[in-house]
Amino acid sequence: MSDVVRRVSSGGPWEETIGYSRAVELPNGLVLVSGCTSVVNGVIDAGTPYEQAVNAFQVAFDALKKLGLGREHVVRTRMYLTHARDVEEVGRAHKELFDDVRPAASMLIVSGFVDPSLVVEVEVEAYGPRAGERE
């Protein structure tokens, strides 16, 4: 097992400004994906809460893919919403994406995000064998 911590970037607009990685893979195979929003090709895609949730999870999946992991490796999700009225829409997106995976999940209401058009942000944790240890 390698003791190297691997980091990946998505090229998101705030990564360089704030100084963070999209995802960090620890030597034990745990991958932590930073808060993801509905940013598509560097532009905020402020659709419905459902659409924002799907887009945000896709950003997380893209980061996991760079580390050789997929949706099936997700063990925990956190969903941050700015309005309780969006729980059903975001929950529907989560169910469609994770119903067969069933990660531990939390949904929290927060006061806002860095851009007011964003209403959903998600975090993902995944666990799986590191690239050199996969069959």
Side-chain angles (χ1 to χ4, degrees):
M1 177 186 332
S2 171
D3 289 333
V4 176
V5 173
R6 295 193 309 165
R7 293 172 173 80
V8 298
S9 172
S10 67
W14 296 290
E15 288 176 35
E16 194 61 37
T17 304
I18 297 172
Y20 71 94
S21 296
R22 171 59 56 213
V24 175
E25 181 183 40
L26 303 176
N28 66 359
L30 181 64
V31 175
L32 308 171
V33 181
S34 296
C36 300
T37 57
S38 185
V39 175
V40 179
N41 298 320
V43 177
I44 294 172
D45 185 358
T48 67
Y50 169 86
E51 292 166 335
Q52 285 196 31
V54 170
N55 287 341
F57 279 119
Q58 187 57 55
V59 171
F61 296 156
D62 290 347
L64 291 175
K65 185 176 181 180
K66 289 179 180 179
L67 294 166
L69 300 176
R71 183 177 54 87
E72 69 277 11
H73 294 101
V74 174
V75 295
R76 181 179 186 110
T77 60
R78 290 182 189 90
M79 295 158 278
Y80 302 95
L81 318 175
T82 56
H83 301 288
R85 67 178 179 247
D86 298 331
V87 166
E88 282 188 39
E89 279 193 74
V90 174
R92 178 169 58 95
H94 189 275
K95 181 174 175 57
E96 288 175 8
L97 295 167
F98 293 106
D99 196 32
D100 58 335
V101 178
R102 297 289 174 120
S106 300
M107 190 179 291
L108 307 152
I109 308 303
V110 298
S111 62
F113 301 116
V114 295
D115 186 289
S117 64
L118 294 169
V119 298
V120 178
E121 183 167 324
V122 302
E123 293 177 343
V124 170
E125 295 177 17
Y127 182 78
R130 291 183 56 115
E133 299 166 0
R134 289 187 205 102
E135 295 180 20

